[in-house]
């Protein structure tokens, strides 16, 4: 065992991936992120970590709620679909067992290396129109059931993000009235 590993407690290490690692593991692969602002933030951070010439955030505030498609210098394609409720055709393309891939170009139907799904806060924030926590639970149950029953796997690895804790003091009064820590705990 190397000297540096002996000095580090078990379970505390995170591997720093180099360009050669990315080329070996992900070259010409697609990573798909679908969800809300937390998912979008992770998407941009991952893209920038993989290729520092790519943006680390949306280019301007007017483009927060749109889809993005970036390609790294290692030819890794990263796609982000803005869908905080995980209910648009983009989400369903990847999560429904009988998804119709015919509407997508041939290059888009390859199984992604990674599918990241993130949703929840908009269900709480807009509970009057979304159905709130019960609607989110039903959507997640259906999504997970569809993923497990599909004949074609959605991705080599599917990650469902936890709902990010909110800091009530940083929320507007209106947002604080709809986004409660107890609901977030129940979702996670």
């Amino acid at each position: 065992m190397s000297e540096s590993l002996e000095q580090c407690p078990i379970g505390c290490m995170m591997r720093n991936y180099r360009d050669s690692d990315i080329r070996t593991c992900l070259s010409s692969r697609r990573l798909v992120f679908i969800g809300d602002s937390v998912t979008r933030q992770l998407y941009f951070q991952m893209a920038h970590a993989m290729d520092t010439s790519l943006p680390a955030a949306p280019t301007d505030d007017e483009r927060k709620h749109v889809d993005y498609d970036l390609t790294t210098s290692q030819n890794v394609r990263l796609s982000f679909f803005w869908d905080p409720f995980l209910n648009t055709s983009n989400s369903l393309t990847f999560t429904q067992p009988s998804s119709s891939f015919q509407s997508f170009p041939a290059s888009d139907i390859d199984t992604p290396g990674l599918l990241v799904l993130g949703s929840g806060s908009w269900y709480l924030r807009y509970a009057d129109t979304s159905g709130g926590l019960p609607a989110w639970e039903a959507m997640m149950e259906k999504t997970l059931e569809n993923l497990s029953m599909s004949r074609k796997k959605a991705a080599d690895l599917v990650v469902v993000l936890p709902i990010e804790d909110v800091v009530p003091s940083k929320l507007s009064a209106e947002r604080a009235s709809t986004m409660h820590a107890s609901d977030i705990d129940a979702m996670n």
Side-chain angles (χ1 to χ4, degrees):
M1 186 180 278
S2 76
E3 190 173 273
S4 63
L5 288 177
E6 291 173 349
Q7 296 172 359
C8 186
I10 295 174
C12 75
M13 290 181 37
M14 185 168 155
R15 179 177 168 90
N16 288 322
Y17 290 92
R18 299 182 312 264
D19 284 350
S20 61
D21 297 321
I22 294 168
R23 270 192 296 280
T24 300
C25 296
L26 297 173
S27 183
S28 301
R29 295 299 309 268
R30 183 176 187 198
L31 311 181
V32 177
F33 296 72
I34 304 172
D36 56 17
S37 59
V38 173
T39 312
R40 181 187 61 229
Q41 182 179 3
L42 180 62
Y43 165 81
F44 276 105
Q45 292 299 310
M46 183 157 187
H48 187 73
M50 292 175 75
D51 184 341
T52 57
S53 72
L54 296 176
T59 52
D60 63 58
D61 228 26
E62 297 295 316
R63 296 192 35 83
K64 289 189 315 187
H65 300 150
V66 299
D67 300 343
Y68 287 91
D69 203 51
L70 300 170
T71 303
T72 70
S73 59
Q74 299 91 1
N75 201 30
V76 178
R77 181 176 172 198
L78 294 104
S79 300
F80 170 75
F81 298 106
W82 172 256
D83 185 4
F85 298 107
L86 298 182
N87 64 357
T88 67
S89 60
N90 286 324
S91 295
L92 300 176
T93 295
F94 290 98
T95 61
Q96 282 192 336
S98 60
S99 292
S100 172
F101 289 103
Q102 289 79 11
S103 62
F104 287 87
S107 62
D108 287 350
I109 63 171
D110 295 332
T111 302
L114 175 67
L115 173 62
V116 178
L117 303 171
S119 176
S121 59
W122 279 51
Y123 277 93
L124 296 178
R125 173 70 178 95
Y126 301 104
D128 291 343
T129 55
S130 72
L133 182 58
W136 177 84
E137 288 174 335
M139 179 277 304
M140 288 306 297
E141 266 186 44
K142 186 68 174 164
T143 299
L144 295 173
E145 179 182 319
N146 286 342
L147 287 168
S148 68
M149 294 178 62
S150 181
R151 290 184 307 249
K152 180 185 184 323
K153 65 182 179 174
D156 292 344
L157 178 64
V158 177
V159 175
V160 177
L161 298 176
I163 298 14
E164 189 172 270
D165 288 332
V166 296
V167 179
S169 63
K170 292 187 176 190
L171 297 175
S172 67
E174 185 180 359
R175 286 181 185 226
S177 71
T178 61
M179 302 179 79
H180 306 286
S182 60
D183 290 335
I184 293 169
D185 286 346
M187 292 170 130
N188 287 331

